[in-house]
Amino acid sequence: MLTDAKIRKLVTRTKVYKESDENGLYVEVRPSGKKFFRYRYRHPQTKKEQVLTLGQYPTVGLAVARSMRDDARALIVQGIDPNQHKKEVKIKQQNKEDSVPSMTFSQLFEEWHNHNEKSLVYNYSKDIRERIEKHLLPHIGSKALDDIKPKDMIRALKTLEQAGILETMRRIKQYANRIFKYGVGYGYCETNPVANLPDDIFQKVEKGNFAHTTDPKILAQILKALEIYTGDICTAKALQLQPYVFLRSKELAGIKWSEIDLDAGMIEIPAERMKKKRPHLVPITKQILSIIEYMRPLSADCDFLFPSPRTKTRPIGEQTLNPALHRLGFKGIQTFHGFRHTASTLLNEMGFIGDVIEKQLAHEQKGVRAVYNKAQYLPQRKQMMQAWANYLDGLKSGGEVLSIHKHASG
């Protein structure tokens, strides 16, 4: 399966060649160096093999190409040839070009939002709409897409910067970039006025620590509350797993059954799913195994350990995890990412080797050997993770809690 990184690294050859993605989608690399997304399918009536050109990379990104392929597959199911449909749409657009005004940003946003709404978690989808309607549509909503220039985007973003809402400014810039990329991919506009805006003309958002506790009494309360969460069962079990594995939210939410090796007692997350783009190992403790076994009858028939309640073809949304903690009453006290800080602080205080902790957190480490050796310190990490899991269980049970480092060594 393709990734953006793989596509960027594809080299030119003397002849045209292809690199496949899935479900008929592939990239065609030409001797000129140009790369085109194409979709191979069979004509719904004649059953002869046909090819639909979706667009040139990187103008059309991988995610957009996959979406366009899925749209084409939907047409085939209806008995419509995607190539013929493309020609008819082009003719209609040409016929209307003189009489119909250019698409405005508001119209593009509505189409983009409707197109992506089913794949977005409800709260996240609602948040995007509210932010765009409040902070961007008043500035450029009524403008024709090709009339929107970088200076218009800078003016809108600077308004947010001057108001001191820098995180909102960062998100609006991110959303606008995605919307315009969609517009370029579907031919609604020629350029993306956000793509090349320099970051150094805006104030940087200061990163603060994620809310977390290192107080064993409060941590015990949080662990007990996670056990009685009454929302979606996959979200509940993801929340319960996090204190034991302390992964980033996207890494945990997207765990696949294919990444779980019970014989080896290990979860192996591939490089493309990790923030630092390096494979990562998580030793499976008795407590982690218990959660995995609980999920087996619920999700073993799909790819993901924690499938979305909407569709088993996707994992739960990482954006659902912090709101779940908020509903339990821990807003400002503990975030999902904050469990990483909790584990790091307590494990260091309890005497475990710093390099072992950092490796299990998948943090940057100096040296080529450290970067590429996913199994570095693995025996010590296995021991540490089981001792840490036992410590958490001790907190939950309210019994006597030993120093986990002494317990692990004794």
Side-chain angles (χ1 to χ4, degrees), residues 98-109:
D98 294 332
S99 57
V100 178
S102 299
M103 179 181 277
T104 65
F105 181 78
S106 287
Q107 292 169 330
L108 175 63
F109 168 66

Side-chain angles (χ1 to χ4, degrees), residues 373-407:
N373 184 6
K374 65 185 178 185
Q376 191 178 32
Y377 305 122
L378 193 54
Q380 298 98 315
R381 287 158 61 190
K382 288 180 178 178
Q383 182 188 44
M384 179 184 74
M385 293 293 279
Q386 186 59 65
W388 171 249
N390 294 344
Y391 171 76
L392 294 180
D393 279 5
L395 290 179
K396 277 194 292 185
S397 67
E400 182 181 358
V401 179
L402 301 175
S403 168
I404 64 174
H405 189 52
K406 291 179 181 178
H407 182 67

Side-chain angles (χ1 to χ4, degrees), residues 20-254:
S20 296
D21 184 53
E22 56 183 1
N23 295 324
L25 180 66
Y26 64 90
V27 167
E28 180 183 276
V29 184
R30 300 180 181 178
S32 63
K34 293 182 178 179
K35 303 167 186 176
F36 290 86
F37 283 111
R38 308 191 79 185
Y39 169 55
R40 186 188 296 109
Y41 68 97
R42 291 196 178 276
H43 193 284
Q45 279 78 46
T46 66
K47 305 304 179 184
K48 291 183 179 180
E49 186 170 285
Q50 306 288 326
V51 173
L52 174 68
T53 299
L54 302 178
Q56 184 176 347
Y57 181 85
T59 303
V60 174
L62 178 58
V64 172
R66 286 173 174 164
S67 177
M68 294 171 73
R69 173 206 59 199
D70 293 342
D71 290 343
R73 292 180 72 191
L75 290 172
I76 294 170
V77 170
Q78 300 172 54
I80 301 171
D81 174 29
N83 268 307
Q84 184 61 34
H85 178 76
K86 182 179 179 181
K87 291 176 184 177
E88 291 172 357
V89 170
K90 187 174 182 180
I91 291 171
K92 288 180 181 178
Q93 287 177 340
Q94 289 174 345
N95 290 339
K96 292 180 179 180
E97 199 170 78
D98 294 332
S99 57
V100 178
S102 299
M103 179 181 277
T104 65
F105 181 78
S106 287
Q107 292 169 330
L108 175 63
F109 168 66
E110 287 298 331
E111 180 173 323
W112 174 86
H113 194 270
N114 291 337
H115 180 82
N116 289 282
E117 191 171 18
K118 290 182 180 179
S119 65
L120 298 173
V121 176
Y122 173 74
N123 286 341
Y124 183 48
S125 172
K126 184 170 177 283
D127 177 71
I128 292 175
R129 174 172 289 282
E130 289 176 351
R131 288 176 187 270
I132 293 294
E133 288 180 346
K134 182 176 181 180
H135 299 297
L136 200 52
L137 294 192
H139 296 278
I140 63 170
S142 61
K143 280 180 170 285
L145 295 178
D146 288 328
D147 290 339
I148 301 173
K149 307 301 180 185
K151 65 180 182 180
D152 299 305
M153 294 307 307
I154 292 172
R155 189 179 299 114
L157 294 170
K158 282 290 184 181
T159 300
L160 302 176
E161 180 185 76
Q162 290 164 9
I165 44 177
L166 301 183
E167 177 60 24
T168 298
M169 177 192 71
R170 183 189 70 81
R171 293 193 183 194
I172 290 294
K173 182 171 179 283
Q174 181 184 75
Y175 299 154
N177 187 44
R178 290 169 61 185
I179 295 165
F180 277 110
K181 284 175 73 174
Y182 175 91
V184 171
Y186 275 95
Y188 297 136
C189 51
E190 295 295 323
T191 59
N192 175 357
V194 185
N196 296 316
L197 292 184
D199 290 332
D200 57 7
I201 65 173
F202 302 107
Q203 292 181 41
K204 291 184 179 179
V205 179
E206 293 185 8
K207 292 185 177 180
N209 287 331
F210 294 89
H212 66 282
T213 185
T214 55
D215 184 329
K217 292 181 180 179
I218 297 176
L219 182 55
Q221 293 174 8
I222 294 170
L223 295 172
K224 291 174 183 177
L226 297 183
E227 295 292 326
I228 58 173
Y229 179 74
T230 57
D232 169 61
I233 187 62
C234 291
T235 301
K237 288 300 174 182
L239 288 172
Q240 292 168 23
L241 181 62
Q242 174 63 354
Y244 294 103
V245 297
F246 40 88
L247 290 166
R248 298 175 181 91
S249 57
K250 191 172 185 178
E251 296 160 3
L252 185 141

